[in-house]
């Protein structure tokens, strides 16, 4: 968990953890409207401080009494999610506290450890707890992180920590990892692969051109234009690889016209190969063509554009 551990002298490692994720604040309550309370008597001031301590102590004792020994606190934008007094009480009660859990991580944590978010102290019960064999604080390159191992739920989850010498390298590694996960996701949803290197686009262009011959009028023109648009993809692939885009696309078109359906561009060899070594998930290709076609259709449906200032 990429969150801030605030032990205040509490445990940094817990075995047989009972994990609770709260979305309320362990801090003194405040009014809904902004106002100021002026206290001129020191006795009354001491009474206010004592009431706040008793209020926080009651909440902390209820948390510890329920059997919770690891407390995750969601980050709050309204006021402090937890105070130093609350941390002191929880440390005395041997409860590990992890605060400033991002809202975007709530769903992942709940599915991973099997807990449910708790929005009020009145709803705090063991039925909403998650469990794990061990929760500990470990040191990373940029600080400390909280590691949860031995999750006892049926949901299989893992956290990947990316490290690099510069932020640019880390961002690039994150993009690469995201692309790889998207490929795996596509293969899970549709377990089919097609040849890459511009092979499917050129084959579709050839077949659409043959189909366009059987059409008449505007439909034939539109079909030929669609085929020409598909040929832009292998052309750009060759251009980005530093090859002669015109010559390479002409050779690729000739190979497909002769029946070499899997012929594609090998950017490493700088030539056309009969079977491209690159493989692409079928869903990536179909989604690309579908979205591009829908965009063109949407643009063609625009009758006029009104400019406003």
């Amino acid at each position: 968990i990429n969150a801030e551990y605030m032990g205040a002298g509490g445990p940094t490692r817990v075995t047989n953890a009972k994990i609770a994720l709260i979305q309320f604040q362990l801090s003194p309550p405040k009014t809904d409207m902004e106002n100021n309370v002026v206290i001129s008597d020191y006795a009354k001031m001491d009474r206010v401080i004592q009431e706040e301590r008793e209020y926080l102590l009651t909440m902390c004792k209820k948390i510890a009494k329920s059997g919770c020994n690891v407390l995750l606190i969601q980050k709050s934008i309204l006021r402090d999610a937890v105070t130093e007094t609350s941390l002191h009480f929880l440390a005395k009660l041997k409860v590990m506290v992890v605060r400033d859990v991002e809202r975007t991580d709530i769903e992942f944590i709940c599915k991973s450890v099997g807990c449910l978010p708790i929005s009020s102290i009145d709803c705090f019960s063991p039925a909403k707890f998650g469990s794990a064999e061990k929760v500990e604080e470990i040191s990373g390159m940029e600080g400390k992180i909280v590691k949860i191992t031995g999750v006892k739920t049926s949901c299989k989850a893992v956290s990947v920590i990316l490290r690099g010498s510069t932020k640019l390298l880390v961002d690039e590694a994150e993009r690469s990892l995201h692309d790889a996960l998207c490929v795996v996701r596509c293969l899970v949803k549709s377990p089919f692969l097609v040849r890459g290197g511009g092979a499917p686009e050129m084959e579709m262009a050839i077949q659409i051109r043959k189909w366009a011959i059987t059409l008449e009028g505007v439909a034939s023109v539109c079909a030929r234009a669609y085929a020409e648009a598909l040929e832009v993809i292998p052309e750009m692939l060759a251009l980005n690889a530093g090859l002669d885009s015109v010559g390479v696309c002409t050779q690729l078109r000739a190979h497909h016209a002769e029946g070499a359906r899997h012929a594609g561009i090998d950017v490493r060899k700088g030539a056309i190969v009969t079977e491209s070594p690159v493989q692409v998930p079928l869903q990536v290709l179909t989604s690309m063509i579908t979205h591009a076609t829908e965009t063109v259709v949407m643009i063609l449906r625009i009758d006029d554009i009104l400019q406003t200032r």
Side-chain angles (χ1 to χ4, degrees), residues 154-199:
S154 58
C155 178
K156 296 181 180 180
V158 64
S159 297
V160 180
I161 301 177
L162 300 178
R163 295 176 178 176
S165 56
T166 62
K167 188 177 184 302
L168 182 62
L169 293 177
V170 175
D171 293 340
E172 186 64 30
E174 183 180 1
R175 283 191 292 268
S176 301
L177 179 61
H178 180 266
D179 293 342
L181 292 176
C182 289
V183 171
V184 175
R185 173 180 172 272
C186 291
L187 289 176
V188 170
K189 295 182 67 175
S190 178
F192 298 99
L193 292 171
V194 295
R195 295 288 180 179

Side-chain angles (χ1 to χ4, degrees), residues 113-124:
V113 303
C115 65
L116 293 175
I118 303 174
S119 58
S120 173
I121 188 63
D122 298 329
C123 304
F124 204 92

Side-chain angles (χ1 to χ4, degrees), residues 125-247:
S125 64
K128 297 184 178 182
F129 293 173
S131 58
E133 292 182 1
K134 183 171 62 175
V135 179
E136 59 182 339
E137 179 191 26
I138 60 176
S139 299
M141 295 184 64
E142 296 183 357
K144 297 181 179 180
I145 58 176
V146 179
K147 182 180 179 182
I148 301 176
T149 54
V151 178
K152 299 180 181 180
T153 59
S154 58
C155 178
K156 296 181 180 180
V158 64
S159 297
V160 180
I161 301 177
L162 300 178
R163 295 176 178 176
S165 56
T166 62
K167 188 177 184 302
L168 182 62
L169 293 177
V170 175
D171 293 340
E172 186 64 30
E174 183 180 1
R175 283 191 292 268
S176 301
L177 179 61
H178 180 266
D179 293 342
L181 292 176
C182 289
V183 171
V184 175
R185 173 180 172 272
C186 291
L187 289 176
V188 170
K189 295 182 67 175
S190 178
F192 298 99
L193 292 171
V194 295
R195 295 288 180 179
E201 292 85 1
M202 184 60 72
E203 182 65 24
M204 284 188 291
I206 297 267
Q207 297 302 326
I208 291 176
R209 275 200 174 90
K210 292 180 180 178
W211 175 62
I213 298 175
T214 62
L215 302 176
E216 297 179 357
V218 178
S220 178
V221 176
C222 293
R224 287 198 301 268
Y226 196 93
E228 292 177 1
L230 287 173
E231 289 186 355
V232 173
I233 297 177
E235 182 180 350
M236 289 296 104
L237 178 62
L239 188 63
N240 292 336
L243 305 176
D244 181 12
S245 58
V246 177

Side-chain angles (χ1 to χ4, degrees), residues 19-303:
I19 306 170
L21 175 61
I22 64 173
Q23 295 178 314
F24 58 91
Q25 292 78 30
L26 290 177
S27 57
K30 293 184 178 180
T31 58
D32 296 334
M33 299 177 61
E34 294 184 1
N35 53 21
N36 296 322
V37 178
V38 179
I39 302 176
S40 57
D41 189 356
Y42 286 105
K44 294 181 180 179
M45 187 180 298
D46 293 338
R47 182 180 175 184
V48 170
I49 296 175
Q50 185 63 27
E51 289 289 341
E52 288 183 354
R53 291 177 60 87
E54 291 180 1
Y55 174 81
L56 296 175
L57 181 59
T58 302
M59 297 177 67
C60 295
K61 284 184 176 180
K62 185 172 183 178
I63 292 173
K65 186 178 180 180
S66 63
C68 171
N69 51 14
V70 177
L71 187 65
L72 308 180
I73 305 177
Q74 180 179 327
K75 189 175 183 179
S76 175
I77 60 175
L78 299 178
R79 64 177 192 265
D80 293 337
V82 63
T83 62
E84 295 294 333
T85 305
S86 302
L87 292 174
H88 172 73
F89 290 148
L90 291 172
K92 292 294 184 181
L93 296 170
K94 304 300 182 183
V95 178
M96 183 177 180
V97 180
V98 181
R99 75 170 197 178
D100 290 347
V101 177
E102 295 292 342
R103 185 180 182 87
T104 54
D105 297 334
I106 296 298
E107 183 179 359
F108 171 73
I109 293 175
C110 291
K111 289 183 178 180
S112 301
V113 303
C115 65
L116 293 175
I118 303 174
S119 58
S120 173
I121 188 63
D122 298 329
C123 304
F124 204 92
S125 64
K128 297 184 178 182
F129 293 173
S131 58
E133 292 182 1
K134 183 171 62 175
V135 179
E136 59 182 339
E137 179 191 26
I138 60 176
S139 299
M141 295 184 64
E142 296 183 357
K144 297 181 179 180
I145 58 176
V146 179
K147 182 180 179 182
I148 301 176
T149 54
V151 178
K152 299 180 181 180
T153 59
S154 58
C155 178
K156 296 181 180 180
V158 64
S159 297
V160 180
I161 301 177
L162 300 178
R163 295 176 178 176
S165 56
T166 62
K167 188 177 184 302
L168 182 62
L169 293 177
V170 175
D171 293 340
E172 186 64 30
E174 183 180 1
R175 283 191 292 268
S176 301
L177 179 61
H178 180 266
D179 293 342
L181 292 176
C182 289
V183 171
V184 175
R185 173 180 172 272
C186 291
L187 289 176
V188 170
K189 295 182 67 175
S190 178
F192 298 99
L193 292 171
V194 295
R195 295 288 180 179
E201 292 85 1
M202 184 60 72
E203 182 65 24
M204 284 188 291
I206 297 267
Q207 297 302 326
I208 291 176
R209 275 200 174 90
K210 292 180 180 178
W211 175 62
I213 298 175
T214 62
L215 302 176
E216 297 179 357
V218 178
S220 178
V221 176
C222 293
R224 287 198 301 268
Y226 196 93
E228 292 177 1
L230 287 173
E231 289 186 355
V232 173
I233 297 177
E235 182 180 350
M236 289 296 104
L237 178 62
L239 188 63
N240 292 336
L243 305 176
D244 181 12
S245 58
V246 177
V248 170
C249 287
T250 303
Q251 296 177 19
L252 183 61
R253 190 182 302 109
H255 278 75
H256 281 266
E258 294 173 357
R261 302 173 58 185
H262 301 300
I265 303 173
D266 192 337
V267 296
R268 293 185 176 180
K269 296 181 179 179
I272 305 298
V273 293
T274 54
E275 289 190 2
S276 175
V278 180
Q279 294 182 340
V280 182
L282 178 62
Q283 190 177 13
V284 173
L285 184 64
T286 54
S287 298
M288 175 186 67
I289 296 175
T290 302
H291 293 163
T293 305
E294 290 176 352
T295 302
V296 172
V297 172
M298 181 181 64
I299 294 175
L300 291 175
R301 286 178 178 175
I302 298 176
D303 297 327

